[in-house]
Amino acid sequence: MFFDSDLLMSALRALTPILLAALGGALCERAGVFNIGLEGMMLMGCFTSVATSWFTGSAWLGVLAAALAAAAYSLILAVGTVTLRGDAVVLGIAMNLLAVGLTSFLLRTVFGVQGTFDDPSLAGLPLVGGFTPLAYLAFVAVAVAALMLSRHVWGLRLRGVGEAPDAAATLGVSPAKYKYAAVLISGVLCGLAGAQLALGNVTLFSENMTAGRGWIAVVAVMLGRAAPVGVLLAALLFGLAEAAGFRLQGVGLPQQATDAAPYVVTLVALFLSTARRRRRTANSPSGATT
Amino acid sequence: MTHTQIPRISGVLRSPITFSVLAGLVIGALFLVGTGADPFTAYGAVLTGSLGADGIGSTLSTGTSVLGMALALAIPLRAGLINLGGDGQMVLGGITAAVTGLYSPLPAPLTVALALLAGMAAGAAYAALAALCENSLGVPLLVSSLLLSYPAVSLASYLARYPLKEPGSSLPQTRAMPDGVALPAFGDSTVTIGLVLVVLAAAAYWFTDKRTAFGYEIRMTGLNSRFAAYAGVERRGLTLKLMSVSGALAGLVGAIGVLSFPYRFVDGSLTAPGYTWTGLTAALLAAAAPFGTVVASFFFAVLAVGGLAMERTTEVPRELTQVLQAIVIVFLAARLRFPTKWLRFGRRTQESGAV
């Protein structure tokens, strides 16, 4: 059997970092901040979690430090776009570049190695029922985010800030405050995503180890239309593609083909979803008149 | 004469670009102090290592790739389009040029020309595909170009590792080009005629930007796309054209890479130096202006090559130069500039003089 429980398990493992990052991206999107710096924030989380886990011997302190470091890093985006009204796209790209440079630089200065830091005594995250606790946390976060956005006054205000900042401001809701909060939360979530990647999925740090997952998360936000459950489904699609890729590699398909699979699947999913949306918007006026 | 020069100089000083570059250098210096190195020694090593007799050749050959990629990204950027798929387009250009070089039955000089054209065509076609994704499928260019890049890099990697692999070699590389299938180099340096091609491309971009109606349309779209659309600029066609040119340049960089030392396609050798991202950084720093893109590319080539010299003399990892680049763009993106207060005194007196 190709689709069995093992495949689903490895799909779930692959989706966790994407899901955490994409959830943060979705909150930003809802608050009206386009966040394409997810990749860089995740990478900062990867390095910080590994460095902290190595020096303290505790993977949990690594997770905590990753969340804090990525949140601090996300402040660049918050200050740059909300306070200084800079260009979010350029800033996001720059943050991704900076993270690659900074983590490679720190890898050399802190550990004195180039490429990969890999040590058997590096503490990784424990597994509970085959998954790290962060994987469970990711699903809880989806539920919490969905409830907050649909029911809680904080979530409603956040959406208001994203959709009509002027109207929100006249009602006494500070758009800047909500935007900062959304970006900081996305930083925390990306930090956790990075920790999951570096201490959960594997136990090592290597240069640019996020390898485009942050960008997949950005696409997952688009695919899921910035709704937590939609983002979950999009991340699941990516997880399945990655897991199926590994499986096919076992059957003898070259690694290059399976490496590319998640990106191709994501792109195709994006085509299909935008095509459907377009058809619907094209049909709706005529449907209304008849 | 000084009356017109003073405001111009203070304008340059207060420009976000100057501020960003200075801020980058200052923060870089802090990093250097943090690692226990003397910033003046380190920056001195960057300059002597990249512009000295030993380094200038390397700077110019790195500059060829950086400028090529910077132009590839600047041209669509001028119209507000961001092409993030440079890696894929460059690598496809490189592998296509390699296949052409290896299997073309033509005499060597014609094969070189054919390989360059084939590389450009492959890059252009792949970039056009990303443009079609935006035009007819509604996937934003930023995302379609980036996501398309990964399968292209994987495909080239597969070709270099399996069907085209050099027999008997343990390295993931194709066979070397046949005799004479190479871009002519200047003396015994690694600088090839590729530099001339890329500089010609920059000149053509400058001319189009400054002197032609098409260049005006591009700039107008970048400044205000709705106004440009109202004025009759057809956005989809423009996207397709600009992306094709962009991809062709990226493909050219790939082809130049294959037709220069080591005269073959080596898996990862085109993407590993990060020309795409350095090029994007240069294009962003220059706001895609033609002359500025050339200057910024040279600046980043100096940083990249000088970083190696800095690593040798101060033992500070060369990745610091990558950090520097990114910091410059972070500051620029936030549109920080010198606080006007600092320079207000000069401006006041000027205004009162005018009154």
Side-chain angles (χ1 to χ4, degrees):
Chain A
M1 264 287 278
F2 187 79
F3 285 101
D4 50 17
S5 61
D6 274 357
L7 187 83
L8 191 64
M9 291 279 276
S10 64
L12 289 174
R13 274 191 286 270
L15 84 78
T16 306
I18 310 287
L19 179 58
L20 284 165
L23 209 52
L27 284 178
C28 288
E29 188 69 37
R30 282 300 178 90
V33 180
F34 184 43
N35 186 349
I36 57 170
L38 300 175
E39 173 100 358
M41 296 182 193
M42 262 169 98
L43 194 57
M44 294 300 283
C46 289
F47 182 81
T48 317
S49 65
V50 166
T52 311
S53 172
W54 168 252
F55 284 112
T56 62
S58 156
W60 287 113
L61 284 176
V63 170
L64 183 70
L68 291 176
Y73 193 62
S74 75
L75 273 175
I76 297 177
L77 182 69
V79 174
T81 58
V82 181
T83 306
L84 301 170
R85 317 221 164 225
D87 187 326
V89 173
V90 176
L91 206 51
I93 293 174
M95 285 173 74
N96 293 340
L97 285 177
L98 181 60
V100 175
L102 205 56
T103 52
S104 308
F105 175 78
L106 289 172
L107 183 67
R108 301 245 341 242
T109 42
V110 176
F111 295 108
V113 293
Q114 209 170 350
T116 303
F117 175 73
D118 184 6
D119 194 282
S121 60
L122 179 65
L125 286 167
L127 293 182
V128 182
F131 299 104
T132 67
L134 286 182
Y136 297 102
L137 181 72
F139 285 91
V140 173
V142 170
V144 171
L147 286 175
M148 288 291 274
L149 284 174
S150 63
R151 299 256 187 277
H152 196 273
V153 62
W154 189 88
L156 297 176
R157 283 183 178 160
L158 185 83
R159 283 164 54 189
V161 162
E163 281 155 28
D166 294 337
T170 45
L171 292 174
V173 176
S174 156
K177 220 180 266 176
Y178 280 86
K179 288 181 180 200
Y180 262 83
V183 173
L184 277 174
I185 295 173
S186 80
V188 169
L189 289 169
C190 286
L192 296 178
Q196 164 69 24
L197 202 58
L199 295 178
N201 290 21
V202 289
T203 314
L204 57 85
F205 178 83
S206 67
E207 277 174 28
N208 202 9
M209 70 183 295
T210 42
R213 284 184 180 80
W215 288 101
I216 296 269
V218 170
V219 177
V221 174
M222 291 180 183
L223 266 179
R225 294 185 214 178
V229 178
V231 164
L232 170 66
L233 294 176
L236 184 64
L237 183 74
F238 174 83
L240 277 173
E242 195 171 284
F246 279 130
R247 179 66 60 89
L248 288 172
Q249 214 172 306
V251 190
L253 218 66
Q255 193 203 336
Q256 286 75 23
T258 58
D259 278 352
Y263 304 98
V264 176
V265 168
T266 313
L267 198 59
V268 170
L270 206 52
F271 291 160
L272 295 177
S273 91
T274 48
R276 213 184 57 175
R277 210 174 309 169
R278 282 186 160 194
R279 208 174 310 132
R280 198 177 292 164
T281 48
N283 286 342
S284 58
S286 61
T289 48
T290 47
Chain B
M1 202 177 90
T2 45
H3 276 295
T4 54
Q5 262 178 358
I6 287 168
R8 188 181 290 172
I9 291 168
S10 80
V12 168
L13 279 180
R14 272 187 295 120
S15 88
I17 294 176
T18 317
F19 179 81
S20 308
V21 171
L22 284 179
L25 290 176
V26 169
I27 294 179
L30 292 179
F31 269 98
L32 288 166
V33 171
T35 51
D38 174 27
F40 293 102
T41 319
Y43 284 150
V46 169
L47 287 181
T48 52
S50 58
L51 300 176
D54 296 337
I56 188 75
S58 178
T59 303
L60 288 177
S61 58
T62 303
T64 304
S65 301
V66 172
L67 177 58
M69 291 315 283
L71 288 171
L73 299 160
I75 290 169
L77 191 64
R78 198 68 160 160
L81 306 168
I82 300 186
N83 172 13
L84 286 183
D87 265 353
Q89 294 146 20
M90 172 174 60
V91 164
L92 278 189
I95 195 82
T96 309
V99 172
T100 313
L102 286 172
Y103 296 105
S104 155
L106 299 173
L110 286 177
T111 299
V112 171
L114 189 66
L116 286 174
L117 290 175
M120 289 174 75
Y126 206 61
L129 187 62
L132 288 176
C133 286
E134 170 164 288
N135 286 347
S136 43
L137 297 165
V139 178
L141 190 67
L142 187 80
V143 168
S144 64
S145 61
L146 182 90
L147 287 179
L148 280 171
S149 192
Y150 291 95
V153 171
S154 294
L155 174 69
S157 167
Y158 172 76
L159 291 175
R161 279 167 193 270
Y162 300 101
L164 298 173
K165 189 176 184 310
E166 183 180 35
S169 163
S170 61
L171 296 168
Q173 61 185 24
T174 63
R175 280 185 289 125
M177 294 291 128
D179 270 347
V181 180
L183 287 170
F186 294 106
D188 0 305
S189 71
T190 51
V191 186
T192 63
I193 207 90
L195 179 64
V196 177
L197 294 177
V198 172
V199 169
L200 282 177
Y205 176 40
W206 179 84
F207 181 80
T208 310
D209 189 69
K210 288 277 186 296
R211 295 269 184 273
T212 65
F214 184 52
Y216 179 72
E217 281 181 8
I218 297 172
R219 264 184 296 149
M220 202 39 70
T221 307
L223 291 172
N224 187 339
S225 63
R226 284 171 68 188
F227 174 75
Y230 182 72
V233 178
E234 213 265 305
R235 189 183 166 84
R236 292 180 172 205
L238 191 72
T239 305
L240 191 61
K241 278 184 222 159
L242 291 180
M243 281 301 283
S244 305
V245 173
S246 173
L249 280 168
L252 176 68
V253 173
I256 290 173
V258 166
L259 296 168
S260 308
F261 181 80
Y263 310 109
R264 57 177 95 219
F265 183 90
V266 184
D267 186 25
S269 72
L270 290 172
T271 48
Y275 296 133
T276 301
W277 296 106
T278 306
L280 179 63
T281 319
L284 286 172
L285 181 63
F291 184 65
T293 304
V294 176
V295 176
S297 303
F298 187 69
F299 172 58
F300 285 135
V302 164
L303 270 186
V305 174
L308 288 167
M310 179 191 73
E311 183 171 289
R312 280 194 299 272
T313 47
T314 61
E315 293 183 356
V316 176
R318 63 171 180 279
E319 282 83 359
L320 182 68
T321 58
Q322 208 183 338
V323 175
L324 260 167
Q325 273 177 33
I327 289 175
V328 170
I329 296 303
V330 166
F331 276 99
L332 193 69
R335 299 197 196 295
L336 283 179
R337 38 168 76 210
F338 276 120
T340 37
K341 231 194 301 183
W342 296 0
L343 290 150
R344 190 162 287 165
F345 176 67
R347 222 163 41 154
R348 273 275 165 72
T349 50
Q350 218 177 67
E351 278 163 14
S352 59
V355 170

